[in-house]
Amino acid sequence: MRFRLCLFRDFAGKALPVAVVFTLLATSCPAQRNGVTEERNGDTDTRSNVTEAVIGATDSLPARIRFMTEESMRLHTLESARGLRLGREALRLARELGDSILMLRAHNAIGASRWIRGEYDLAVRAHLAALDLAEATGSLPDIGACNSNLGLMCRTIGMRERSEEYLRAAIRIRQEIGDEAGHSRSRMNLGLLFAETGRYDSARVLHEASLAWGRKVGDSLTIARNLHYLGRVERATNRMPEAEKLVTESLRYFDQIRDRNGRSLAAADLADILLATGQIANARRQAELALREALALGSRFAIREAAHVLSRIHEQTGAFREALRFARLAADAADSLYNREASLHLAQATLSQQIAKREGLWKLRERRKQLEWESSRQSERLVRNVLLIGASLLFVILLILLFAYRAKQRSTKLIAGQKRHIDEANSKLRLEVETRQRMLSIIGHDLFGPMGAAEGMLQLAADETLGRNERDELVGSARATVSGSVTLLRTLVSWARAQERDLTLSLEAADLMEVLRPVFDLAASVGKSKGLRMSMQGPEEFPLTFDRQVITVLVENLLSNAVKFTGEGGSVSMEVERGETDYRIRIRDTGRGMPKDLVERIRSGASGTSQQGSNREKGHGLGLDICRRLTALHHGELSVESEPGVGSTFTLRLPLDPAAYSRNVREDTTEPVDSSI
């Protein structure tokens, strides 16, 4: 956008148009103008009537706008005033419709007509507006067309570097989208620019390529223009015969397509070539033809070119009066290409400068302007420095805030982590304290009490006054009490070992069934005393590498629970199975079972899940905790299935491969039982 503003600013000092040229032309050359007007009245009126009829018969507004735009583009080289009127009407309707594509194409049509009329500043405005709309819509074909039009405009007003930039952009875009026609036209315009800057070989290559494409597709306008421009290149390189041949052929094509602007410019160039080769009569005829077409079209540029050639022809033949008249006509046409109001302001400024010089104020004025300029530069520099310092300070503040925010986040995460570790440590410590208190309570109540009773019984048995039967009864009771206490002590020792984090397995190769049978027989003796049916199933031999003591404690606790919670007439069974990667010890009972909430407590690893047995046997709530921890030591799995009134099934799954055992207890050995209920 900044580049376009610079383009328009540079252009404003080079080509400011006016709306009055036909008055000058009418006073300078009325005969030529009247003749041309009479010549073209018939077919122009007919075409105008046809156009108006088509526009009136079109019901669709977009279709009507498209037709008016196309007709404006067709007429800009034939009747520029009428083409401009159609383009402006199309733009008005497109704005009412709100269609950006139709608006930008109407702008392009208006720019083409104003360019022919020499209103270059308005033409540039129109093409820049079209380019803005094209870029807003993202239409690559229209962007390419607008760049090509602006390149042509910049070349016309002498801004050659920017013209080349626009044309190269148009060529690149049209090549990308495969627009061969637009690509050919853009190369032709770039060739014109190269010819004006003296790069004749490059211009010849571009025009010949564009001409070849025009002949290939049969585009008469492209053929005519490239022949004309190639003729100009040959004229510039002093190859007059080739130049005359090319321009003559281009005139024939311009006549076929009835392009007045092209016919006028080509005829003027042909007259210049004929004049250079001494064919004065033919040169005069071509120059007069060029002037008639230019006057009919209303093109100030074409009028200037044709009148200039006619002036030179009359000057060479000695008709100086005619030469002066046509020179004035050319000068008037050239002057009309600029804004008369701007010329008046320029004259006033020049007069003011002369007065200032005469009064000795010119240098003071220049100095004041210079000081103002320097002051404005310093102000701009100061503002820029202030903005730069402010931006730097803002950046530093943002960095400080960012670092502070990240430091706060890190400290928050650190505090949260430490709090989490402290909470975990507190939970573990609380659990250990509760466990120790529970153990002390068991030792103090369930161990010392029976041992004291056993001591009293033994003291009574030592009394010689008692009979033998009474002594035997007291000794038997004391033995049973001591046996229960020993069992409790063994359980406490196993539980204490299971709590140790550095507990290791003592593996040995043995027959699993030889280890399990004595444990089952001991439980069976207790079960039969309660009237239970006891059964054991498994292979005769089961060689395995395992920890004898750990397996004994596991099975002893599970069988003890099954016997304790099964009433008279019930059954307890133990099954030993060998799998592919593990072996399973399954203990079933037909006891009272467990409710779901108790199963959930066992699954979560909660302590204090002890209940009284079927004969009101008292439990300590340590058996399942021991089993869970020792199973985790083996990297095994302990699952339970239970239903109230039906019974319970505990399944112990342990790996066959000793390498799967961990030599040390895992960090968290308090994993809950994996229940499959």
Side-chain angles (χ1 to χ4, degrees):
M1 189 64 187
R2 182 180 299 174
F3 171 74
R4 296 180 194 163
L5 292 174
C6 293
L7 165 64
F8 199 82
R9 182 190 63 195
D10 295 344
F11 166 74
K14 294 185 178 181
L16 295 173
V18 291
V20 287
V21 64
F22 286 108
T23 304
L24 290 174
L25 298 180
T27 57
S28 300
C29 192
Q32 290 90 332
R33 181 172 179 177
N34 291 337
V36 172
T37 303
E38 293 172 358
E39 176 184 344
R40 63 173 184 164
N41 276 342
D43 59 337
T44 300
D45 292 342
T46 301
R47 179 65 189 180
S48 176
N49 293 335
V50 171
T51 301
E52 297 296 336
V54 172
I55 293 174
T58 305
D59 295 332
S60 173
L61 183 57
R64 184 186 308 172
I65 295 171
R66 282 192 290 271
F67 176 77
M68 294 172 69
T69 303
E70 292 170 0
E71 189 69 7
S72 174
M73 290 296 293
R74 189 189 68 82
L75 290 174
H76 84 277
T77 58
L78 300 175
E79 300 176 63
S80 60
R82 189 155 162 266
L84 177 60
R85 181 176 62 82
L86 284 174
R88 294 175 69 176
E89 181 64 17
L91 177 60
R92 183 185 67 80
L93 295 175
R95 282 175 175 168
E96 292 180 359
L97 188 62
D99 192 321
S100 299
I101 298 295
L102 295 179
M103 287 168 61
L104 72 89
R105 291 175 182 172
H107 274 301
N108 277 332
I110 292 172
S113 296
R114 291 196 181 279
W115 175 72
I116 290 295
R117 294 169 62 82
E119 299 170 355
Y120 298 133
D121 64 330
L122 298 177
V124 168
R125 288 177 186 269
H127 289 309
L128 283 175
L131 182 58
D132 287 336
L133 290 170
E135 291 178 345
T137 58
S139 173
L140 288 179
D142 291 309
I143 293 174
C146 292
N147 276 284
S148 182
N149 291 334
L150 283 169
L152 184 60
M153 287 300 309
C154 291
R155 183 189 66 80
T156 302
I157 63 178
M159 301 172 68
R160 293 187 174 88
E161 292 182 359
R162 288 178 181 166
S163 173
E164 185 172 351
E165 292 176 7
Y166 275 122
L167 290 174
R168 288 191 181 278
I171 290 173
R172 176 179 54 79
I173 293 173
R174 286 173 161 176
Q175 190 172 11
E176 288 178 359
I177 63 177
D179 183 3
E180 294 186 359
H183 185 248
S184 176
R185 288 194 295 272
S186 297
R187 285 190 299 178
M188 177 183 68
N189 291 331
L190 186 59
L192 279 173
L193 179 64
F194 285 166
E196 290 181 357
T197 55
R199 292 177 281 182
Y200 299 116
D201 292 336
S202 299
R204 186 180 289 111
V205 170
L206 290 172
H207 287 312
E208 287 176 351
S210 182
L211 176 62
W213 180 85
R215 291 187 187 279
K216 176 183 176 181
V217 300
D219 188 344
S220 298
L221 180 60
T222 301
I223 296 171
R225 288 180 176 174
N226 281 285
L227 287 171
H228 180 198
Y229 301 148
L230 279 171
R232 286 185 176 178
V233 172
E234 301 301 337
R235 169 71 177 86
T237 55
N238 291 321
R239 300 174 63 182
M240 297 302 178
E242 291 82 356
E244 181 180 352
K245 179 180 178 182
L246 290 169
V247 177
T248 302
E249 187 178 0
S250 73
L251 266 174
R252 180 168 58 83
Y253 277 100
F254 281 129
D255 286 338
Q256 289 178 1
I257 61 178
R258 304 178 67 182
D259 185 345
R260 281 195 169 126
N261 184 62
R263 187 160 51 187
S264 173
L265 295 175
D269 287 340
L270 181 59
D272 182 63
I273 295 170
L274 294 174
L275 179 61
T277 57
Q279 304 177 49
I280 296 177
N282 290 336
R284 181 174 179 177
R285 284 196 297 273
Q286 293 297 330
E288 289 174 349
L289 171 63
L291 183 59
R292 285 198 303 272
E293 294 293 343
L295 288 169
L297 182 62
S299 172
R300 299 167 177 81
F301 181 79
I303 293 171
R304 184 188 65 182
E305 295 296 313
H308 180 65
V309 174
L310 275 172
S311 175
R312 289 172 53 208
I313 292 172
H314 286 294
E315 181 182 357
Q316 192 165 344
T317 57
F320 296 109
R321 186 183 299 275
E322 292 295 319
L324 179 61
R325 184 168 67 87
F326 284 110
R328 286 176 177 171
L329 179 60
D332 289 340
D335 289 341
S336 65
L337 293 174
Y338 300 94
N339 195 318
R340 287 179 174 270
E341 184 178 355
S343 300
L344 179 60
H345 290 321
L346 180 61
Q348 292 174 351
T350 303
L351 181 59
S352 299
Q353 291 175 5
Q354 294 297 328
I355 295 173
K357 285 181 180 180
R358 192 172 299 171
E359 295 178 355
L361 298 177
W362 173 254
K363 292 183 180 180
L364 180 61
R365 202 173 200 181
E366 289 295 316
R367 179 60 179 168
R368 183 181 300 169
K369 288 182 180 179
Q370 184 178 2
L371 290 174
E372 291 176 355
W373 180 79
E374 291 178 356
S375 177
S376 64
R377 288 294 300 275
Q378 290 178 356
S379 300
E380 292 176 0
R381 193 179 298 110
L382 178 61
V383 171
R384 185 168 58 250
N385 292 337
V386 170
L387 291 177
L388 181 61
I389 293 172
S392 302
L393 290 175
L394 180 60
F395 179 70
V396 171
I397 293 172
L398 289 176
L399 281 180
I400 293 173
L401 292 176
L402 179 62
F403 288 145
Y405 176 71
R406 289 186 176 177
K408 183 178 179 181
Q409 279 188 326
R410 286 195 294 270
S411 63
T412 303
K413 289 181 180 178
L414 181 60
I415 293 172
Q418 292 176 349
K419 184 177 181 299
R420 185 171 60 254
H421 292 318
I422 292 172
D423 292 341
E424 292 175 357
N426 287 335
S427 299
K428 292 178 181 178
L429 181 60
R430 189 181 301 110
L431 180 61
E432 291 179 2
V433 170
E434 291 176 356
T435 303
R436 279 167 174 74
Q437 289 177 350
R438 184 177 167 203
M439 184 175 180
L440 290 174
S441 175
I442 292 172
I443 292 172
H445 184 272
D446 294 342
L447 187 60
F448 288 154
M451 291 299 291
E455 183 182 9
M457 292 177 188
L458 291 175
Q459 288 177 355
L460 289 175
D463 189 357
E464 295 180 356
T465 60
L466 295 177
R468 183 176 181 83
N469 292 334
E470 292 177 347
R471 286 182 182 179
D472 291 341
E473 185 178 353
L474 288 173
V475 171
S477 299
R479 184 186 297 114
T481 302
V482 171
S483 176
S485 298
V486 169
T487 302
L488 177 59
L489 279 174
R490 187 184 298 114
T491 301
L492 289 173
V493 170
S494 299
W495 178 84
R497 288 190 62 202
Q499 298 296 319
E500 296 177 0
R501 294 188 177 274
D502 57 351
L503 179 62
T504 58
L505 297 175
S506 178
L507 300 179
E508 60 177 304
D511 186 357
L512 179 64
M513 299 304 296
E514 289 183 359
V515 175
L516 295 181
R517 285 191 185 100
V519 176
F520 180 79
D521 291 342
L522 180 61
S525 64
V526 178
K528 289 178 180 179
S529 67
K530 292 181 63 174
L532 303 180
R533 296 187 301 276
M534 304 294 293
S535 63
M536 177 178 177
Q537 297 179 1
E540 290 296 328
E541 295 181 353
F542 198 146
L544 189 67
T545 301
F546 61 98
D547 188 315
R548 181 188 297 267
Q549 183 178 1
V550 170
I551 294 298
T552 299
V553 172
L554 280 171
V555 176
E556 186 179 59
N557 276 282
L558 294 176
L559 283 172
S560 175
N561 283 342
V563 170
K564 182 170 67 173
F565 293 108
T566 303
E568 183 179 359
S571 64
V572 175
S573 64
M574 183 174 73
E575 301 172 4
V576 180
E577 298 177 354
R578 184 187 187 99
E580 294 183 0
T581 59
D582 61 3
Y583 63 95
R584 294 178 288 277
I585 301 174
R586 184 177 294 107
I587 298 173
R588 291 191 177 94
D589 65 68
T590 59
R592 64 189 179 192
M594 292 181 289
K596 288 186 177 180
D597 58 342
L598 182 57
V599 173
E600 291 298 328
R601 292 187 64 190
I602 294 174
R603 179 187 300 174
S604 63
S607 60
T609 57
S610 175
Q611 290 184 324
Q612 288 186 347
S614 59
N615 288 346
R616 307 185 69 83
E617 298 98 324
K618 185 176 181 181
H620 306 288
L622 300 178
L624 284 179
D625 190 31
I626 294 171
C627 292
R628 181 172 60 250
R629 292 175 182 272
L630 294 179
T631 302
L633 181 66
H634 280 77
H635 287 243
E637 177 184 318
L638 178 61
S639 61
V640 57
E641 297 178 0
S642 182
E643 185 176 349
V646 177
S648 302
T649 301
F650 285 85
T651 304
L652 182 65
R653 291 183 178 88
L654 299 176
L656 285 171
D657 187 3
Y661 297 166
S662 172
R663 282 293 177 177
N664 296 308
V665 179
R666 290 181 294 180
E667 182 179 356
D668 183 12
T669 59
T670 61
E671 288 187 358
V673 174
D674 183 11
S675 175
S676 60
I677 293 181

